[in-house]
Amino acid sequence: DGGITQSPKYLFRKEGQNVTLSCEQNLNHDAMYWYRQDPGQGLRLIYYSQIVNDFQKGDIAEGYSVSREKKESFPLTVTSAQKNPTAFYLCASTPPTPSGNEKLFFGSGTQLSVL
Amino acid sequence: GQQLNQSPQSMFIQEGEDVSMNCTSSSIFNTWLWYKQDPGEGPVLLIALYKAGELTSNGRLTAQFGITRKDSFLNISASIPSDVGIYFCAGPRAGGTSYGKLTFGQGTILTVHP
């Protein structure tokens, strides 16, 4: 079955530590996104990538980094510079067709907590 | 920037009741999307609206694209326990080429009592 796989489901970060969240998709979608969700708030865009080897900052990119070396993979690194990393992180992708590229398909998320 | 305001923030209803929620914006959207998020999971697209005045159904769910283009409504008829979750409205931002850059409302939390 096609879809987006995020791992791990739960992740704990120590002070000063960088952690990487994995996102893999087999939908053959070109564009991929990372959103952050905090309780009681809407989703906020961290980074997005429209094509391999290219990515752009979203609204809250500070303290995060990404790479897009393969079409299927878009990992997110939460660096020690991110002072409030506790949140639910969602990876998503959109299909390439003009009439459907606003429809985000989401993974099941990673809950990151600080020890 | 564009913001979406959802109301109510939360709802507690009895099984079998109908549910109405809405989403408003100070700016125009050309597309409205409604997502549902189950606890601990990613949101799933329920309905997409593309035209002002459009009324679209998906099973017991019906959504409408407001005529002013600044609002949208979602109704759920005859609620059941599995309707529990967070419902988000969203819309693509103006300009740009990556339409997956959505603005989300803060969500409506729905609780259904059996």
Side-chain angles (χ1 to χ4, degrees):
Chain A
D1 289 335
I4 299 177
T5 301
Q6 290 188 242
S7 62
K9 183 65 177 177
Y10 301 96
L11 187 58
F12 297 90
R13 194 192 88 166
K14 297 179 181 179
E15 292 288 336
Q17 186 182 39
N18 293 352
V19 292
T20 298
L21 284 60
S22 172
C23 178
E24 302 279 333
Q25 57 101 356
N26 60 3
L27 299 167
N28 199 33
H29 289 173
D30 288 316
M32 298 185 73
Y33 309 79
W34 277 103
Y35 281 85
R36 169 177 170 147
Q37 184 178 18
D38 294 282
Q41 297 188 34
L43 282 62
R44 292 182 291 167
L45 182 63
I46 305 173
Y47 266 99
Y48 65 100
S49 168
Q50 294 179 258
I51 198 167
V52 174
N53 293 323
D54 182 66
F55 49 83
Q56 306 294 328
K57 293 182 179 180
D59 301 317
I60 56 168
E62 185 174 353
Y64 300 97
S65 66
V66 293
S67 63
R68 187 83 188 277
E69 298 177 1
K70 299 186 300 182
K71 185 176 184 177
E72 300 80 14
S73 179
F74 191 39
L76 173 73
T77 296
V78 184
T79 74
S80 57
Q82 172 50 247
K83 299 306 179 186
N84 185 23
T86 297
F88 192 53
Y89 290 86
L90 289 158
C91 179
S93 66
T94 51
T97 58
S99 63
N101 62 4
E102 73 285 348
K103 295 179 180 176
L104 285 169
F105 289 82
F106 285 93
S108 58
T110 293
Q111 176 64 50
L112 176 62
S113 303
V114 177
L115 292 176
Chain B
Q2 295 175 309
Q3 290 187 347
L4 294 177
N5 297 306
Q6 285 188 248
S7 66
Q9 291 187 351
S10 61
M11 304 181 73
F12 299 84
I13 62 170
Q14 292 292 129
E15 183 176 358
E17 290 183 0
D18 296 342
V19 172
S20 292
M21 60 188 78
N22 67 71
C23 187
T24 60
S25 171
S26 58
S27 54
I28 289 173
F29 280 80
N30 292 319
T31 299
W32 286 93
L33 305 167
W34 284 94
Y35 284 86
K36 182 198 176 192
Q37 184 179 32
D38 290 330
E41 297 294 328
V44 174
L45 181 65
L46 298 173
I47 293 177
L49 302 162
Y50 299 101
K51 192 175 178 180
E54 179 181 354
L55 191 70
T56 297
S57 294
N58 178 7
R60 294 178 295 105
L61 278 62
T62 301
Q64 185 165 22
F65 193 139
I67 293 176
T68 66
R69 295 180 176 267
K70 293 184 178 181
D71 55 12
S72 181
F73 308 89
L74 178 69
N75 296 314
I76 305 172
S77 62
S79 59
I80 59 178
S82 62
D83 290 333
V84 165
I86 305 175
Y87 291 79
F88 291 101
C89 61
R93 302 183 193 187
T97 57
S98 185
Y99 298 112
K101 294 191 298 180
L102 301 182
T103 297
F104 282 84
Q106 77 275 30
T108 293
I109 302 172
L110 179 63
T111 303
V112 180
H113 294 289

